[in-house]
Amino acid sequence: MIRIIHVFLMVFVAVTGLMSISAAAQTPDQVLATIKAEAQTSSPSFRGFSAERGERFFKQTHGNELSCASCHTENPAASGKHTKTGKIIQALAPAANAERFTDPAKVEKWFKRNCHDVLVRACTPQEKGDALAYLLTVKI
């Protein structure tokens, strides 16, 4: 009887663990929808995201010599290289790297870190949404 309860508990833990993993995974479009909700809350004048504005944001420098493209290259479907460490960075565009923008915690972590490096401040929801809207248009 104890063995049956033990097996039942192991199956329960495995199933609930799988459920929590699938609940955490999202598509890039779902991540964009989350950022959109954040933008609507933070700015009543929010009118939507622009891939064109996101491309300019991605490629231009922001008061220093760095841009997003400094590490991710002008072609986000290609691998890049970190400007300081030289570490290879896998393609950023979801079309070229299916894992990009599927983990909300990683999305938040990397926007926070990279925006601070490039802008020396946090990105606004508008900037994050525009950048992701652009990256979603990039094809292989």
Side-chain angles (χ1 to χ4, degrees):
M1 182 68 169
I2 292 176
R3 187 176 193 141
I4 292 172
I5 291 172
H6 187 249
V7 169
F8 176 76
L9 286 173
M10 288 178 58
V11 169
F12 177 76
V13 168
V15 168
T16 56
L18 289 173
M19 288 172 56
S20 66
I21 289 171
S22 66
Q26 293 188 340
T27 66
D29 287 328
Q30 290 171 317
V31 171
L32 187 61
T34 300
I35 296 171
K36 181 179 179 181
E38 185 182 349
Q40 290 170 325
T41 300
S42 67
S43 175
S45 62
F46 175 74
R47 296 289 179 259
F49 297 127
S50 162
E52 293 80 22
R53 198 170 43 230
E55 182 175 10
R56 282 193 307 275
F57 179 81
F58 186 86
K59 294 180 178 177
Q60 74 184 25
T61 58
H62 300 274
N64 59 32
E65 60 197 45
L66 294 177
S67 69
C68 304
S70 298
C71 295
H72 295 287
T73 78
E74 292 278 325
N75 176 8
S79 294
K81 189 165 91 174
H82 194 274
T83 58
K84 291 182 183 173
T85 66
K87 179 182 173 188
I88 300 297
I89 301 170
Q90 298 302 312
L92 187 59
N97 184 345
E99 292 184 21
R100 291 291 190 185
F101 300 99
T102 59
D103 182 337
K106 284 184 177 179
V107 171
E108 190 59 36
K109 170 189 168 184
W110 289 108
F111 265 129
K112 181 179 179 181
R113 185 177 294 179
N114 293 340
C115 290
H116 182 73
D117 287 347
V118 173
L119 303 169
V120 194
R121 64 170 172 79
C123 287
T124 66
Q126 180 77 59
E127 291 166 334
K128 291 189 282 187
D130 287 344
L132 181 52
Y134 162 60
L135 293 170
L136 287 169
T137 66
V138 174
K139 304 296 179 211
I140 300 175

PDB file of all heavy atoms in Angstrom, residues 68-81:
ATOM      1  N   CYS A  68      21.557  48.254 -29.942  1.00  0.00           N
ATOM      2  CA  CYS A  68      21.228  46.824 -29.825  1.00  0.00           C
ATOM      3  C   CYS A  68      22.047  46.036 -30.853  1.00  0.00           C
ATOM      4  O   CYS A  68      22.533  44.938 -30.586  1.00  0.00           O
ATOM      5  CB  CYS A  68      19.743  46.603 -30.067  1.00  0.00           C
ATOM      6  SG  CYS A  68      18.645  47.553 -29.001  1.00  0.00           S
ATOM      7  N   ALA A  69      22.199  46.646 -32.052  1.00  0.00           N
ATOM      8  CA  ALA A  69      22.923  45.993 -33.135  1.00  0.00           C
ATOM      9  C   ALA A  69      24.418  45.865 -32.860  1.00  0.00           C
ATOM     10  O   ALA A  69      25.085  45.077 -33.529  1.00  0.00           O
ATOM     11  CB  ALA A  69      22.699  46.754 -34.435  1.00  0.00           C
ATOM     12  N   SER A  70      24.929  46.598 -31.879  1.00  0.00           N
ATOM     13  CA  SER A  70      26.352  46.481 -31.558  1.00  0.00           C
ATOM     14  C   SER A  70      26.707  45.038 -31.213  1.00  0.00           C
ATOM     15  O   SER A  70      27.772  44.554 -31.590  1.00  0.00           O
ATOM     16  CB  SER A  70      26.717  47.387 -30.376  1.00  0.00           C
ATOM     17  OG  SER A  70      26.492  48.731 -30.675  1.00  0.00           O
ATOM     18  N   CYS A  71      25.841  44.371 -30.498  1.00  0.00           N
ATOM     19  CA  CYS A  71      26.084  42.961 -30.137  1.00  0.00           C
ATOM     20  C   CYS A  71      25.277  41.998 -31.019  1.00  0.00           C
ATOM     21  O   CYS A  71      25.757  40.920 -31.334  1.00  0.00           O
ATOM     22  CB  CYS A  71      25.721  42.710 -28.677  1.00  0.00           C
ATOM     23  SG  CYS A  71      26.747  43.593 -27.484  1.00  0.00           S
ATOM     24  N   HIS A  72      24.063  42.394 -31.391  1.00  0.00           N
ATOM     25  CA  HIS A  72      23.172  41.480 -32.122  1.00  0.00           C
ATOM     26  C   HIS A  72      23.306  41.622 -33.631  1.00  0.00           C
ATOM     27  O   HIS A  72      22.613  40.911 -34.354  1.00  0.00           O
ATOM     28  CB  HIS A  72      21.719  41.716 -31.697  1.00  0.00           C
ATOM     29  CG  HIS A  72      21.462  41.373 -30.265  1.00  0.00           C
ATOM     30  ND1 HIS A  72      21.406  40.088 -29.791  1.00  0.00           N
ATOM     31  CD2 HIS A  72      21.289  42.171 -29.180  1.00  0.00           C
ATOM     32  CE1 HIS A  72      21.184  40.093 -28.490  1.00  0.00           C
ATOM     33  NE2 HIS A  72      21.110  41.352 -28.092  1.00  0.00           N
ATOM     34  N   THR A  73      24.151  42.504 -34.102  1.00  0.00           N
ATOM     35  CA  THR A  73      24.418  42.803 -35.520  1.00  0.00           C
ATOM     36  C   THR A  73      23.226  43.503 -36.167  1.00  0.00           C
ATOM     37  O   THR A  73      22.128  43.514 -35.620  1.00  0.00           O
ATOM     38  CB  THR A  73      24.805  41.570 -36.379  1.00  0.00           C
ATOM     39  OG1 THR A  73      23.636  40.820 -36.699  1.00  0.00           O
ATOM     40  CG2 THR A  73      25.826  40.700 -35.680  1.00  0.00           C
ATOM     41  N   GLU A  74      23.445  44.073 -37.325  1.00  0.00           N
ATOM     42  CA  GLU A  74      22.371  44.740 -38.078  1.00  0.00           C
ATOM     43  C   GLU A  74      21.339  43.732 -38.567  1.00  0.00           C
ATOM     44  O   GLU A  74      20.235  44.115 -38.939  1.00  0.00           O
ATOM     45  CB  GLU A  74      22.963  45.494 -39.273  1.00  0.00           C
ATOM     46  CG  GLU A  74      23.822  46.678 -38.900  1.00  0.00           C
ATOM     47  CD  GLU A  74      23.025  47.930 -38.589  1.00  0.00           C
ATOM     48  OE1 GLU A  74      21.990  48.153 -39.233  1.00  0.00           O
ATOM     49  OE2 GLU A  74      23.455  48.684 -37.703  1.00  0.00           O
ATOM     50  N   ASN A  75      21.702  42.463 -38.588  1.00  0.00           N
ATOM     51  CA  ASN A  75      20.785  41.393 -38.996  1.00  0.00           C
ATOM     52  C   ASN A  75      20.493  40.515 -37.787  1.00  0.00           C
ATOM     53  O   ASN A  75      21.251  39.595 -37.487  1.00  0.00           O
ATOM     54  CB  ASN A  75      21.397  40.550 -40.111  1.00  0.00           C
ATOM     55  CG  ASN A  75      20.508  39.383 -40.490  1.00  0.00           C
ATOM     56  OD1 ASN A  75      19.366  39.276 -40.036  1.00  0.00           O
ATOM     57  ND2 ASN A  75      21.033  38.493 -41.320  1.00  0.00           N
ATOM     58  N   PRO A  76      19.374  40.753 -37.074  1.00  0.00           N
ATOM     59  CA  PRO A  76      19.089  39.968 -35.872  1.00  0.00           C
ATOM     60  C   PRO A  76      18.773  38.497 -36.141  1.00  0.00           C
ATOM     61  O   PRO A  76      18.609  37.722 -35.202  1.00  0.00           O
ATOM     62  CB  PRO A  76      17.904  40.684 -35.237  1.00  0.00           C
ATOM     63  CG  PRO A  76      17.419  41.663 -36.215  1.00  0.00           C
ATOM     64  CD  PRO A  76      18.423  41.814 -37.305  1.00  0.00           C
ATOM     65  N   ALA A  77      18.749  38.087 -37.410  1.00  0.00           N
ATOM     66  CA  ALA A  77      18.584  36.660 -37.728  1.00  0.00           C
ATOM     67  C   ALA A  77      19.931  35.944 -37.728  1.00  0.00           C
ATOM     68  O   ALA A  77      19.992  34.723 -37.865  1.00  0.00           O
ATOM     69  CB  ALA A  77      17.903  36.494 -39.082  1.00  0.00           C
ATOM     70  N   ALA A  78      21.003  36.708 -37.553  1.00  0.00           N
ATOM     71  CA  ALA A  78      22.351  36.131 -37.511  1.00  0.00           C
ATOM     72  C   ALA A  78      22.869  36.140 -36.072  1.00  0.00           C
ATOM     73  O   ALA A  78      22.384  36.892 -35.228  1.00  0.00           O
ATOM     74  CB  ALA A  78      23.289  36.952 -38.396  1.00  0.00           C
ATOM     75  N   SER A  79      23.859  35.325 -35.813  1.00  0.00           N
ATOM     76  CA  SER A  79      24.500  35.331 -34.500  1.00  0.00           C
ATOM     77  C   SER A  79      25.306  36.606 -34.337  1.00  0.00           C
ATOM     78  O   SER A  79      25.802  37.175 -35.313  1.00  0.00           O
ATOM     79  CB  SER A  79      25.431  34.128 -34.352  1.00  0.00           C
ATOM     80  OG  SER A  79      24.686  32.937 -34.360  1.00  0.00           O
ATOM     81  N   GLY A  80      25.429  37.052 -33.109  1.00  0.00           N
ATOM     82  CA  GLY A  80      26.218  38.237 -32.811  1.00  0.00           C
ATOM     83  C   GLY A  80      27.330  37.911 -31.840  1.00  0.00           C
ATOM     84  O   GLY A  80      27.620  36.746 -31.571  1.00  0.00           O
ATOM     85  N   LYS A  81      27.940  38.967 -31.336  1.00  0.00           N
ATOM     86  CA  LYS A  81      29.040  38.790 -30.392  1.00  0.00           C
ATOM     87  C   LYS A  81      29.023  39.965 -29.417  1.00  0.00           C
ATOM     88  O   LYS A  81      28.945  41.131 -29.838  1.00  0.00           O
ATOM     89  CB  LYS A  81      30.365  38.744 -31.150  1.00  0.00           C
ATOM     90  CG  LYS A  81      31.534  38.348 -30.291  1.00  0.00           C
ATOM     91  CD  LYS A  81      32.725  37.952 -31.120  1.00  0.00           C
ATOM     92  CE  LYS A  81      33.626  39.100 -31.415  1.00  0.00           C
ATOM     93  NZ  LYS A  81      34.863  38.735 -32.102  1.00  0.00           N
TER      94      LYS A  81
END
